[in-house]
Amino acid sequence: MRYPLIFNIHNVSRSPYLAGNWLFPWQFERLLKFLKERFKFGDPKEPLRLSKDEFLITFDDGLMGVYENAYPIMEGMGIKGIVFIVVDYIGRRNLWDAHFLTPVYHMDKGEILELSRKGWIIGSHGKTHRSLKGLKFEEVLREVDYSKKYLEDLTGREVFMFSYPFGIYSPLAEKALYMAGYKLAFCGISGRRKKLERFRIPRIPTFITDLFVNLKIMDFYTIFDKAFSLPSRLTPIYQKILGKRLLR
C-alpha cells in the first residue's frame, strides 16, 4: 500500500471542463467515504507523524470549487483540509494555467478566511504559480516569502506549509523555504516510502479518471498517476510564452 495517504485534489466541480485533475462531487464524496471506512483522519498539522492507518486531504491552487463543493462534504464528515493558495490570483480566474479556454475562479479572501476560521490549514502555493525550478534564487525567495507574509496578514495565523507548483522542487527552493520560515513542504507523487522529509512530502494526486478508489491506494497505481500528471508539464511552457500577460 502507498504511503503516505495524503491525497491532493485540485478542484471539485459540478460542471465538466477541459482538465484532468479534478473530481465531481460524487467522486470526491465516494473517496472520503472509502477512506473513513478503512482509515483514520490524521492530524493536518503533523503530516510527518502520519501513520499508515491515517489519511489527509489537501487542495492545490485554492479554486472556488473547493469552497463550494468540497468544503460542505468535508464539514459533514468532520474532516478538515489543507488548502494551498496562489496569492496573486485570489478572486481571479486561473489564467496562469493552460486551461484550454475553460478557466475557473480562485477563492476570494472571504472564502479563505471562512475556511481558516473553521479549522482548515491555509498554506502557500506561491505568489504566481510559476515553477520554482530554473528561477534565480531571489525570484524563488520572493515567490515563497511574499506569499507567506500575505497569507499571514490575511488570516492572522502562521503559514508554515508550502506546496511546490507542479510538485517540482529543488535544493534552491528548499533553501528559500527554510529562509522564509516554512516548516513543511509538499512535492510530487507518493509511492512506497518509509521515511518522510519535511520539505519533500509526497502526495497521491486525483483525476477525473479515478474510477476504482480501492486501486488508488495500491503501490502499482503510482505508474498511472505519473502518466496522468504529464499534461500538467504543458503549463510551464504556456507560462513562458505568455509571460507578464498572465496577470492582466
mmCIF file with all atom_site columns, all heavy atoms in Angstrom, residues 120-136:
data_model
loop_
_atom_site.group_PDB
_atom_site.id
_atom_site.type_symbol
_atom_site.label_atom_id
_atom_site.label_alt_id
_atom_site.label_comp_id
_atom_site.label_asym_id
_atom_site.label_entity_id
_atom_site.label_seq_id
_atom_site.pdbx_PDB_ins_code
_atom_site.Cartn_x
_atom_site.Cartn_y
_atom_site.Cartn_z
_atom_site.occupancy
_atom_site.B_iso_or_equiv
_atom_site.pdbx_formal_charge
_atom_site.auth_seq_id
_atom_site.auth_comp_id
_atom_site.auth_asym_id
_atom_site.auth_atom_id
_atom_site.pdbx_PDB_model_num
ATOM 1   N N   . TRP A 1 120 ? -9.430  24.835 8.953   1.00 0.00 ? 120 TRP A N   1
ATOM 2   C CA  . TRP A 1 120 ? -8.600  24.400 7.836   1.00 0.00 ? 120 TRP A CA  1
ATOM 3   C C   . TRP A 1 120 ? -7.236  25.071 7.936   1.00 0.00 ? 120 TRP A C   1
ATOM 4   O O   . TRP A 1 120 ? -7.107  26.189 8.447   1.00 0.00 ? 120 TRP A O   1
ATOM 5   C CB  . TRP A 1 120 ? -9.245  24.784 6.507   1.00 0.00 ? 120 TRP A CB  1
ATOM 6   C CG  . TRP A 1 120 ? -10.391 23.920 6.091   1.00 0.00 ? 120 TRP A CG  1
ATOM 7   C CD1 . TRP A 1 120 ? -11.443 23.514 6.864   1.00 0.00 ? 120 TRP A CD1 1
ATOM 8   C CD2 . TRP A 1 120 ? -10.613 23.374 4.792   1.00 0.00 ? 120 TRP A CD2 1
ATOM 9   N NE1 . TRP A 1 120 ? -12.301 22.750 6.137   1.00 0.00 ? 120 TRP A NE1 1
ATOM 10  C CE2 . TRP A 1 120 ? -11.832 22.648 4.856   1.00 0.00 ? 120 TRP A CE2 1
ATOM 11  C CE3 . TRP A 1 120 ? -9.925  23.433 3.593   1.00 0.00 ? 120 TRP A CE3 1
ATOM 12  C CZ2 . TRP A 1 120 ? -12.353 21.969 3.754   1.00 0.00 ? 120 TRP A CZ2 1
ATOM 13  C CZ3 . TRP A 1 120 ? -10.454 22.768 2.482   1.00 0.00 ? 120 TRP A CZ3 1
ATOM 14  C CH2 . TRP A 1 120 ? -11.644 22.048 2.573   1.00 0.00 ? 120 TRP A CH2 1
ATOM 15  N N   . ILE A 1 121 ? -6.214  24.390 7.429   1.00 0.00 ? 121 ILE A N   1
ATOM 16  C CA  . ILE A 1 121 ? -4.878  24.982 7.369   1.00 0.00 ? 121 ILE A CA  1
ATOM 17  C C   . ILE A 1 121 ? -4.720  25.686 6.025   1.00 0.00 ? 121 ILE A C   1
ATOM 18  O O   . ILE A 1 121 ? -4.991  25.105 4.971   1.00 0.00 ? 121 ILE A O   1
ATOM 19  C CB  . ILE A 1 121 ? -3.791  23.909 7.541   1.00 0.00 ? 121 ILE A CB  1
ATOM 20  C CG1 . ILE A 1 121 ? -3.853  23.337 8.961   1.00 0.00 ? 121 ILE A CG1 1
ATOM 21  C CG2 . ILE A 1 121 ? -2.404  24.502 7.270   1.00 0.00 ? 121 ILE A CG2 1
ATOM 22  C CD1 . ILE A 1 121 ? -2.876  22.225 9.215   1.00 0.00 ? 121 ILE A CD1 1
ATOM 23  N N   . ILE A 1 122 ? -4.309  26.936 6.092   1.00 0.00 ? 122 ILE A N   1
ATOM 24  C CA  . ILE A 1 122 ? -4.052  27.716 4.881   1.00 0.00 ? 122 ILE A CA  1
ATOM 25  C C   . ILE A 1 122 ? -2.548  27.719 4.623   1.00 0.00 ? 122 ILE A C   1
ATOM 26  O O   . ILE A 1 122 ? -1.762  28.183 5.453   1.00 0.00 ? 122 ILE A O   1
ATOM 27  C CB  . ILE A 1 122 ? -4.565  29.161 5.023   1.00 0.00 ? 122 ILE A CB  1
ATOM 28  C CG1 . ILE A 1 122 ? -6.044  29.177 5.436   1.00 0.00 ? 122 ILE A CG1 1
ATOM 29  C CG2 . ILE A 1 122 ? -4.346  29.929 3.716   1.00 0.00 ? 122 ILE A CG2 1
ATOM 30  C CD1 . ILE A 1 122 ? -6.985  28.502 4.468   1.00 0.00 ? 122 ILE A CD1 1
ATOM 31  N N   . GLY A 1 123 ? -2.155  27.178 3.479   1.00 0.00 ? 123 GLY A N   1
ATOM 32  C CA  . GLY A 1 123 ? -0.749  27.141 3.110   1.00 0.00 ? 123 GLY A CA  1
ATOM 33  C C   . GLY A 1 123 ? -0.514  27.930 1.839   1.00 0.00 ? 123 GLY A C   1
ATOM 34  O O   . GLY A 1 123 ? -1.457  28.391 1.185   1.00 0.00 ? 123 GLY A O   1
ATOM 35  N N   . SER A 1 124 ? 0.735   28.065 1.467   1.00 0.00 ? 124 SER A N   1
ATOM 36  C CA  . SER A 1 124 ? 1.095   28.834 0.272   1.00 0.00 ? 124 SER A CA  1
ATOM 37  C C   . SER A 1 124 ? 1.394   27.913 -0.909  1.00 0.00 ? 124 SER A C   1
ATOM 38  O O   . SER A 1 124 ? 2.008   26.858 -0.759  1.00 0.00 ? 124 SER A O   1
ATOM 39  C CB  . SER A 1 124 ? 2.320   29.707 0.553   1.00 0.00 ? 124 SER A CB  1
ATOM 40  O OG  . SER A 1 124 ? 2.824   30.257 -0.659  1.00 0.00 ? 124 SER A OG  1
ATOM 41  N N   . HIS A 1 125 ? 0.961   28.353 -2.073  1.00 0.00 ? 125 HIS A N   1
ATOM 42  C CA  . HIS A 1 125 ? 1.277   27.675 -3.332  1.00 0.00 ? 125 HIS A CA  1
ATOM 43  C C   . HIS A 1 125 ? 2.062   28.622 -4.239  1.00 0.00 ? 125 HIS A C   1
ATOM 44  O O   . HIS A 1 125 ? 2.051   28.493 -5.466  1.00 0.00 ? 125 HIS A O   1
ATOM 45  C CB  . HIS A 1 125 ? -0.026  27.248 -4.009  1.00 0.00 ? 125 HIS A CB  1
ATOM 46  C CG  . HIS A 1 125 ? 0.123   26.121 -4.990  1.00 0.00 ? 125 HIS A CG  1
ATOM 47  N ND1 . HIS A 1 125 ? 1.054   25.106 -4.867  1.00 0.00 ? 125 HIS A ND1 1
ATOM 48  C CD2 . HIS A 1 125 ? -0.567  25.835 -6.136  1.00 0.00 ? 125 HIS A CD2 1
ATOM 49  C CE1 . HIS A 1 125 ? 0.935   24.269 -5.877  1.00 0.00 ? 125 HIS A CE1 1
ATOM 50  N NE2 . HIS A 1 125 ? -0.028  24.685 -6.679  1.00 0.00 ? 125 HIS A NE2 1
ATOM 51  N N   . GLY A 1 126 ? 2.693   29.605 -3.571  1.00 0.00 ? 126 GLY A N   1
ATOM 52  C CA  . GLY A 1 126 ? 3.497   30.572 -4.307  1.00 0.00 ? 126 GLY A CA  1
ATOM 53  C C   . GLY A 1 126 ? 2.748   31.857 -4.603  1.00 0.00 ? 126 GLY A C   1
ATOM 54  O O   . GLY A 1 126 ? 1.553   31.984 -4.350  1.00 0.00 ? 126 GLY A O   1
ATOM 55  N N   . LYS A 1 127 ? 3.468   32.800 -5.152  1.00 0.00 ? 127 LYS A N   1
ATOM 56  C CA  . LYS A 1 127 ? 2.884   34.102 -5.499  1.00 0.00 ? 127 LYS A CA  1
ATOM 57  C C   . LYS A 1 127 ? 2.157   34.044 -6.840  1.00 0.00 ? 127 LYS A C   1
ATOM 58  O O   . LYS A 1 127 ? 1.054   34.571 -6.983  1.00 0.00 ? 127 LYS A O   1
ATOM 59  C CB  . LYS A 1 127 ? 3.979   35.159 -5.543  1.00 0.00 ? 127 LYS A CB  1
ATOM 60  C CG  . LYS A 1 127 ? 3.510   36.572 -5.831  1.00 0.00 ? 127 LYS A CG  1
ATOM 61  C CD  . LYS A 1 127 ? 4.697   37.533 -5.773  1.00 0.00 ? 127 LYS A CD  1
ATOM 62  C CE  . LYS A 1 127 ? 4.236   38.979 -5.989  1.00 0.00 ? 127 LYS A CE  1
ATOM 63  N NZ  . LYS A 1 127 ? 3.750   39.228 -7.352  1.00 0.00 ? 127 LYS A NZ  1
ATOM 64  N N   . THR A 1 128 ? 2.776   33.391 -7.835  1.00 0.00 ? 128 THR A N   1
ATOM 65  C CA  . THR A 1 128 ? 2.231   33.406 -9.199  1.00 0.00 ? 128 THR A CA  1
ATOM 66  C C   . THR A 1 128 ? 2.033   32.025 -9.814  1.00 0.00 ? 128 THR A C   1
ATOM 67  O O   . THR A 1 128 ? 1.645   31.931 -10.968 1.00 0.00 ? 128 THR A O   1
ATOM 68  C CB  . THR A 1 128 ? 3.162   34.205 -10.125 1.00 0.00 ? 128 THR A CB  1
ATOM 69  O OG1 . THR A 1 128 ? 4.441   33.548 -10.182 1.00 0.00 ? 128 THR A OG1 1
ATOM 70  C CG2 . THR A 1 128 ? 3.347   35.632 -9.634  1.00 0.00 ? 128 THR A CG2 1
ATOM 71  N N   . HIS A 1 129 ? 2.343   30.952 -9.052  1.00 0.00 ? 129 HIS A N   1
ATOM 72  C CA  . HIS A 1 129 ? 2.266   29.578 -9.539  1.00 0.00 ? 129 HIS A CA  1
ATOM 73  C C   . HIS A 1 129 ? 3.271   29.312 -10.660 1.00 0.00 ? 129 HIS A C   1
ATOM 74  O O   . HIS A 1 129 ? 3.019   28.507 -11.565 1.00 0.00 ? 129 HIS A O   1
ATOM 75  C CB  . HIS A 1 129 ? 0.857   29.210 -10.015 1.00 0.00 ? 129 HIS A CB  1
ATOM 76  C CG  . HIS A 1 129 ? 0.593   27.720 -9.966  1.00 0.00 ? 129 HIS A CG  1
ATOM 77  N ND1 . HIS A 1 129 ? 1.237   26.814 -10.793 1.00 0.00 ? 129 HIS A ND1 1
ATOM 78  C CD2 . HIS A 1 129 ? -0.229  26.971 -9.200  1.00 0.00 ? 129 HIS A CD2 1
ATOM 79  C CE1 . HIS A 1 129 ? 0.813   25.595 -10.537 1.00 0.00 ? 129 HIS A CE1 1
ATOM 80  N NE2 . HIS A 1 129 ? -0.078  25.658 -9.557  1.00 0.00 ? 129 HIS A NE2 1
ATOM 81  N N   . ARG A 1 130 ? 4.415   29.943 -10.589 1.00 0.00 ? 130 ARG A N   1
ATOM 82  C CA  . ARG A 1 130 ? 5.493   29.587 -11.514 1.00 0.00 ? 130 ARG A CA  1
ATOM 83  C C   . ARG A 1 130 ? 6.286   28.422 -10.933 1.00 0.00 ? 130 ARG A C   1
ATOM 84  O O   . ARG A 1 130 ? 6.436   28.298 -9.721  1.00 0.00 ? 130 ARG A O   1
ATOM 85  C CB  . ARG A 1 130 ? 6.440   30.777 -11.726 1.00 0.00 ? 130 ARG A CB  1
ATOM 86  C CG  . ARG A 1 130 ? 5.882   31.869 -12.580 1.00 0.00 ? 130 ARG A CG  1
ATOM 87  C CD  . ARG A 1 130 ? 6.974   32.843 -12.992 1.00 0.00 ? 130 ARG A CD  1
ATOM 88  N NE  . ARG A 1 130 ? 7.512   33.565 -11.839 1.00 0.00 ? 130 ARG A NE  1
ATOM 89  C CZ  . ARG A 1 130 ? 8.592   34.341 -11.897 1.00 0.00 ? 130 ARG A CZ  1
ATOM 90  N NH1 . ARG A 1 130 ? 9.240   34.487 -13.043 1.00 0.00 ? 130 ARG A NH1 1
ATOM 91  N NH2 . ARG A 1 130 ? 9.003   34.987 -10.831 1.00 0.00 ? 130 ARG A NH2 1
ATOM 92  N N   . SER A 1 131 ? 6.801   27.576 -11.802 1.00 0.00 ? 131 SER A N   1
ATOM 93  C CA  . SER A 1 131 ? 7.691   26.520 -11.340 1.00 0.00 ? 131 SER A CA  1
ATOM 94  C C   . SER A 1 131 ? 8.933   27.166 -10.727 1.00 0.00 ? 131 SER A C   1
ATOM 95  O O   . SER A 1 131 ? 9.540   28.060 -11.329 1.00 0.00 ? 131 SER A O   1
ATOM 96  C CB  . SER A 1 131 ? 8.095   25.618 -12.507 1.00 0.00 ? 131 SER A CB  1
ATOM 97  O OG  . SER A 1 131 ? 9.094   24.704 -12.098 1.00 0.00 ? 131 SER A OG  1
ATOM 98  N N   . LEU A 1 132 ? 9.310   26.732 -9.536  1.00 0.00 ? 132 LEU A N   1
ATOM 99  C CA  . LEU A 1 132 ? 10.451  27.341 -8.860  1.00 0.00 ? 132 LEU A CA  1
ATOM 100 C C   . LEU A 1 132 ? 11.779  26.867 -9.433  1.00 0.00 ? 132 LEU A C   1
ATOM 101 O O   . LEU A 1 132 ? 12.801  27.524 -9.253  1.00 0.00 ? 132 LEU A O   1
ATOM 102 C CB  . LEU A 1 132 ? 10.395  27.029 -7.357  1.00 0.00 ? 132 LEU A CB  1
ATOM 103 C CG  . LEU A 1 132 ? 9.127   27.482 -6.632  1.00 0.00 ? 132 LEU A CG  1
ATOM 104 C CD1 . LEU A 1 132 ? 9.235   27.183 -5.143  1.00 0.00 ? 132 LEU A CD1 1
ATOM 105 C CD2 . LEU A 1 132 ? 8.855   28.962 -6.867  1.00 0.00 ? 132 LEU A CD2 1
ATOM 106 N N   . LYS A 1 133 ? 11.739  25.735 -10.109 1.00 0.00 ? 133 LYS A N   1
ATOM 107 C CA  . LYS A 1 133 ? 12.962  25.216 -10.705 1.00 0.00 ? 133 LYS A CA  1
ATOM 108 C C   . LYS A 1 133 ? 13.333  26.046 -11.920 1.00 0.00 ? 133 LYS A C   1
ATOM 109 O O   . LYS A 1 133 ? 12.515  26.279 -12.808 1.00 0.00 ? 133 LYS A O   1
ATOM 110 C CB  . LYS A 1 133 ? 12.769  23.758 -11.116 1.00 0.00 ? 133 LYS A CB  1
ATOM 111 C CG  . LYS A 1 133 ? 14.060  23.055 -11.512 1.00 0.00 ? 133 LYS A CG  1
ATOM 112 C CD  . LYS A 1 133 ? 13.826  21.573 -11.739 1.00 0.00 ? 133 LYS A CD  1
ATOM 113 C CE  . LYS A 1 133 ? 15.133  20.857 -12.048 1.00 0.00 ? 133 LYS A CE  1
ATOM 114 N NZ  . LYS A 1 133 ? 14.911  19.395 -12.255 1.00 0.00 ? 133 LYS A NZ  1
ATOM 115 N N   . GLY A 1 134 ? 14.551  26.513 -11.959 1.00 0.00 ? 134 GLY A N   1
ATOM 116 C CA  . GLY A 1 134 ? 15.007  27.335 -13.079 1.00 0.00 ? 134 GLY A CA  1
ATOM 117 C C   . GLY A 1 134 ? 14.971  28.823 -12.804 1.00 0.00 ? 134 GLY A C   1
ATOM 118 O O   . GLY A 1 134 ? 15.539  29.615 -13.566 1.00 0.00 ? 134 GLY A O   1
ATOM 119 N N   . LEU A 1 135 ? 14.303  29.235 -11.723 1.00 0.00 ? 135 LEU A N   1
ATOM 120 C CA  . LEU A 1 135 ? 14.283  30.650 -11.351 1.00 0.00 ? 135 LEU A CA  1
ATOM 121 C C   . LEU A 1 135 ? 15.558  31.026 -10.587 1.00 0.00 ? 135 LEU A C   1
ATOM 122 O O   . LEU A 1 135 ? 16.189  30.169 -9.967  1.00 0.00 ? 135 LEU A O   1
ATOM 123 C CB  . LEU A 1 135 ? 13.068  30.954 -10.462 1.00 0.00 ? 135 LEU A CB  1
ATOM 124 C CG  . LEU A 1 135 ? 11.674  30.757 -11.059 1.00 0.00 ? 135 LEU A CG  1
ATOM 125 C CD1 . LEU A 1 135 ? 10.626  31.149 -10.028 1.00 0.00 ? 135 LEU A CD1 1
ATOM 126 C CD2 . LEU A 1 135 ? 11.501  31.574 -12.325 1.00 0.00 ? 135 LEU A CD2 1
ATOM 127 N N   . LYS A 1 136 ? 15.899  32.291 -10.613 1.00 0.00 ? 136 LYS A N   1
ATOM 128 C CA  . LYS A 1 136 ? 17.007  32.771 -9.792  1.00 0.00 ? 136 LYS A CA  1
ATOM 129 C C   . LYS A 1 136 ? 16.594  32.703 -8.324  1.00 0.00 ? 136 LYS A C   1
ATOM 130 O O   . LYS A 1 136 ? 15.415  32.764 -7.996  1.00 0.00 ? 136 LYS A O   1
ATOM 131 C CB  . LYS A 1 136 ? 17.351  34.213 -10.173 1.00 0.00 ? 136 LYS A CB  1
ATOM 132 C CG  . LYS A 1 136 ? 17.854  34.371 -11.591 1.00 0.00 ? 136 LYS A CG  1
ATOM 133 C CD  . LYS A 1 136 ? 18.138  35.835 -11.892 1.00 0.00 ? 136 LYS A CD  1
ATOM 134 C CE  . LYS A 1 136 ? 18.627  36.012 -13.326 1.00 0.00 ? 136 LYS A CE  1
ATOM 135 N NZ  . LYS A 1 136 ? 18.862  37.450 -13.650 1.00 0.00 ? 136 LYS A NZ  1
#
